[in-house]
Amino acid sequence: MIDIALFNYQDGGRAADGSYDFTPLQRAFADVTTAPALILFCEAKRYRDIAGAAKYAAAEALSDQLGVPYVAELGWMPRGPMPPAIFYNPNLLVLRRWWGQDDPAVFDDQRNVARFAIRDSGRVRDERREFLAFVHHFDPRSGDARLEEARRVSRYGSTEPLPVIGGGDLNGTASGGHLPQRDWMAATPNQRTHKGALRPDSTWGPDTRALDHLIGDWDDTTAQRKNGSGLHAVAEMAWRTDPTQPIAPTVNTGIDPGGGLLIDWLLANDAMTPHVLPGTYRVHLPDPSRRPPSDHRLVTAAIDL
């Protein structure tokens, strides 16, 4: 079993004076019972500076908290020095491919995509099972930009023969009333344009184009998705196993006026869905007596390859 975590750590723990605090990062993982083999991480802010000091400090903090070693790899993001990253346990996973930021031979849709082998699945290289994992941080301000980003991710859906698990702060929700909803009129006009869209009837609702492109449009009649790219939301897989348990927002209370949405998504392609363990999916709610470790909540799940 491979445990996966997804976490957007606000500003990567970086303070205004340039210092870093990884104690909240450790608190975010305090109630995790099994150390994740792979952590999909957003907002590695300036983790390349000073010879990668913050990157290595974050990996060390996670290792101290979870009791296993972690290796860190930084991803790519063109909007600024805050790329996504992966942290993985080399005792469990073998990293076989991760395109670097400055690699001259990389295509855009290959960035932030790792190729892993499961170490104990075979005695030698050619016997080990492989899977792909991606992590992205979509544009927070533009639904048009998110749709373009989703189109690059979509190649890892139904046409990818390897099992794929991926996710990130995708900064948008999908269609369907079973998902967390937001009161769009509680937001300012500018805030509405970030994740919302003006409907033909002049009311506001969520801009779901990017996620619907990946996982499909919600059909109220059949309670199924259609016309997706062959990616599936692990949150919905879990909800289908027990519809009495509502799908939780992944943004903490008080961050977005009108209510938090599910915007931190774990996604699996057609080849991976038989290996997802839906009952392991969890959105970790922060301790209400303390300040949350981040503006986003930790998300965890497991796969059995």
Side-chain angles (χ1 to χ4, degrees), residues 78-287:
R79 297 192 305 275
M82 197 157 66
I86 56 170
F87 296 84
Y88 69 95
N89 180 348
N91 291 338
L92 299 178
L93 299 178
V94 180
L95 182 60
R96 291 187 169 173
R97 187 174 298 170
W98 177 262
W99 294 97
Q101 179 193 28
D102 301 317
D103 196 306
V106 63
F107 293 95
D108 279 355
D109 58 4
Q110 295 174 315
R111 295 186 185 275
N112 302 335
V113 181
R115 189 182 186 111
F116 283 109
I118 301 172
R119 188 174 293 280
D120 66 358
S121 64
R123 294 177 297 107
V124 294
R125 177 185 176 88
D126 291 343
E127 295 177 357
R128 294 187 178 116
R129 295 190 297 277
E130 291 187 324
F131 69 97
L132 302 181
F134 65 78
V135 56
H136 292 294
H137 192 173
F138 283 5
D139 194 299
R141 298 177 298 272
S142 168
D144 293 335
R146 289 193 294 272
L147 180 56
E148 287 304 308
E149 291 171 311
R151 285 172 174 151
R152 288 194 288 274
V153 176
S154 63
R155 66 162 285 187
Y156 298 99
S158 57
T159 60
E160 172 55 56
L162 279 176
V164 179
I165 187 79
D169 176 3
L170 304 187
N171 267 310
T173 189
S175 56
H178 60 299
L179 297 174
Q181 301 298 311
R182 182 179 181 183
D183 177 4
W184 293 95
M185 298 313 295
T188 67
N190 181 53
Q191 290 168 334
R192 287 177 210 142
T193 66
H194 291 178
K195 295 181 176 68
L198 188 63
R199 296 164 171 161
D201 63 358
S202 298
T203 63
W204 281 86
D207 186 337
T208 66
R209 291 175 295 162
L211 266 299
D212 286 353
H213 178 74
L214 295 174
I215 65 176
D217 306 307
W218 182 259
D219 186 325
D220 284 325
T221 302
T222 63
Q224 301 288 336
R225 294 199 177 272
K226 59 183 182 181
N227 302 323
S229 301
L231 288 164
H232 310 273
V234 176
E236 289 187 333
M237 296 172 67
W239 173 73
R240 289 190 183 282
T241 64
D242 185 4
T244 65
Q245 296 298 315
I247 297 175
T250 60
V251 177
N252 276 315
T253 303
I255 301 300
D256 290 332
L261 298 171
L262 168 58
I263 64 173
D264 302 87
W265 295 83
L266 282 175
L267 304 175
N269 74 340
D270 290 342
M272 178 62 86
T273 51
H275 305 289
V276 173
L277 303 175
T280 64
Y281 175 83
R282 180 181 174 193
V283 176
H284 296 252
L285 303 183
D287 182 347

Side-chain angles (χ1 to χ4, degrees), residues 27 286-292:
R27 279 201 293 113
D287 182 347
S289 67
R290 306 183 67 178
R291 181 178 179 178

Side-chain angles (χ1 to χ4, degrees), residues 9 23 49 100:
Y9 186 38
T23 302
D49 294 4

